[in-house]
Amino acid sequence: MDKVVFYISGGLLISFVVLAMIDLKMIQEWINYSFNIAAKYFGSYWELLLLANFIIAIVLAISKYGKIRLGKLDKPENSYYRWIAMILCTLLASGGVFWAASEPMMHFITTPPLFDDHSGTMSGVNPALAQSFLHWGFLAWSMLGTLATIVLMYAHYHKGYPMKPRGMLYPMFGEKIFRKKSIIGNATDIISIVAVAGGTMGPIGFLGLQLGYGLHALFDIPNTLVTNIIVVSVLILMAAISVATGVDRGIQFLSRINVGLTVFLAVCMLIVGPTLFIINKFISAQGFYLENFLTMALYQGDSTWLGWWTVFFWGWFLGYGPMMAIFIARISRGRTIRELVIAVSVIAPLVTNFWFAIVGGTGIKIEFDSPGSISEPLATGGMPAGVMAIMDQLPFGFFLAIGFLIVTLIFVATTVDSISYTVSVSLTGDDHPSRLIRVFWVLIFGMLSIVLLAIGENSINAIQNAIVVTAVPVSFILLPTLWGAVQVARKLAVEQKIVSKK
């Protein structure tokens, strides 16, 4: 194990929690100040980075380079369904339920500033859904697992170097980036681990708060710190068992279970909910999204709104970028560049958009028919109240709400086990790290999340915002993959005789 990276990254995470225990207000002020600086000075750069990443990935996929097979395997290790299931469950977790219900509703209540004000009217449905599609669609997914994944797979499987975040810089620096004393290499690994750890501990604690509310609403279980800690403990137990059994068993099994449950819930909501409204609005909002894609992706108007929404999401996803690229590299051996890009940048976003249209669209229709029925609980109780309010208005809503809580729990469990696996990979450079190290990181994430919960809800919000701050250096780590992936594709195309050597 890379002890330098382990001690520094682990020390930074523990220091953050200790400082939060000593003076949470000081931590919040520091993070809020840093967050505002990041949003002000790096928002435009992030917009261009995500757009360029998506365009280059699509061009590679549709070109002759799309035939390149990655990972030095003639056939994929995982079936297409299992592969897509693991991708979806790992990357969709944070938005699986609560954001899907709440974000479209928030944009419906107040139309995003890019569009004419149609707040609360039928004309405001397409802008509301389209804005959600942008934040959880093509650009976000592509950043999490296309160009960076191509570079990492080349460095590890084709050139034999360790599977570490620093591998993304291999086309630029060559072999020296993997030396133990490489300052840039060590800094890249440390930054990537700290960023994704912050982005994982936040959602774990956030889940405890959300499910605590849901259990209180459904079963009148007291929504206390003890309840939240029990929820997190169950989550950590599930994730530990999953990661201990490995990617090919535990993580894959949980992913398949969750996809099945999610599809079942989606079908149920389509049947008992406003079916035609959901389908019609998904199609029309998808068209609206495509029509305004570039304008939305490069919007630079209301800076305050951008900081709350688009820049926040871009920072969040950038923070996850290096580790998600490692995970997708691990499960994508034998896939072509075309398969990788289409699965991650096209299929997964369309599935996500449809899920948002089902959950969020149902809430919008209910709110339109009965103003205040969803927006008021959302305003007073936050995102979990919004989900419960939607379920309350549907036939069999009690059972659907239980289903949503279960799906959320498994969604986050699959993220925690996947992130723990990738952090272990980053520290060892081996895509089969020891079971002890994998379980260790699950337990560390769980314990630190429980400590944050004990400090208070504001500590959870602080660490979620912290990932946007860490996204600043991460975004510069991901930048070289824009041309690095193209260089890798050219070399592999010659090796695999897809193009002739000039």
Side-chain angles (χ1 to χ4, degrees), residues 423-481:
V423 170
S424 303
V425 168
S426 299
L427 289 168
T428 62
D430 184 0
D431 56 353
H432 293 282
S434 75
R435 183 178 299 174
L436 181 62
I437 294 176
R438 300 196 305 260
V439 173
F440 168 80
W441 277 100
V442 172
L443 298 177
I444 285 294
F445 287 151
M447 287 188 291
L448 291 179
S449 299
I450 288 172
V451 172
L452 289 169
L453 275 172
I455 297 172
E457 185 174 342
N458 289 337
S459 64
I460 301 296
N461 296 329
I463 201 167
Q464 286 198 118
N465 288 337
I467 195 174
V468 178
V469 179
T470 59
V472 173
V474 171
S475 65
F476 289 104
I477 294 168
L478 290 165
L479 178 62
T481 64

Side-chain angles (χ1 to χ4, degrees), residues 16-91:
F16 180 91
V17 175
V18 171
L19 286 173
M21 293 173 68
I22 295 171
D23 192 341
L24 179 59
K25 185 178 179 181
M26 177 193 71
I27 290 292
Q28 284 180 288
E29 290 175 353
W30 177 81
I31 288 176
N32 289 336
Y33 176 77
S34 302
F35 177 93
N36 291 332
I37 293 293
K40 181 178 180 179
Y41 293 104
F42 295 95
S44 299
Y45 162 57
W46 291 351
E47 286 184 340
L48 291 171
L49 176 62
L50 267 75
L51 183 61
N53 183 87
F54 174 68
I55 292 172
I56 293 170
I58 292 296
V59 170
L60 282 177
I62 63 178
S63 72
K64 56 191 174 185
Y65 298 122
K67 298 177 183 178
I68 294 169
R69 198 164 291 277
L70 301 166
K72 272 198 169 182
L73 281 183
D74 294 331
K75 293 182 179 180
E77 288 183 311
N78 299 297
S79 69
Y80 204 82
Y81 174 75
R82 291 176 179 178
W83 182 50
I84 292 291
M86 284 190 282
I87 291 172
L88 279 170
C89 287
T90 302
L91 305 186

Side-chain angles (χ1 to χ4, degrees), residues 127-149:
L129 288 173
Q131 192 68 56
S132 302
F133 293 172
L134 175 77
H135 293 156
W136 298 88
F138 303 129
L139 301 181
W141 279 92
S142 184
M143 195 73 243
L144 291 168
T146 54
L147 302 185
T149 298

Side-chain angles (χ1 to χ4, degrees), residues 356-368:
F356 268 63
I358 291 173
V359 182
T362 299
I364 288 173
K365 183 64 166 67
I366 294 169
E367 175 70 16
F368 182 78

Side-chain angles (χ1 to χ4, degrees), residues 96-140:
V97 174
F98 295 107
W99 279 108
S102 302
E103 185 178 351
M105 177 59 62
M106 293 177 184
H107 296 319
F108 175 69
I109 296 169
T110 305
T111 303
L114 173 61
F115 308 108
D116 293 335
D117 188 4
H118 295 294
S119 302
T121 69
M122 192 56 67
S123 299
V125 177
N126 282 344
L129 288 173
Q131 192 68 56
S132 302
F133 293 172
L134 175 77
H135 293 156
W136 298 88
F138 303 129
L139 301 181

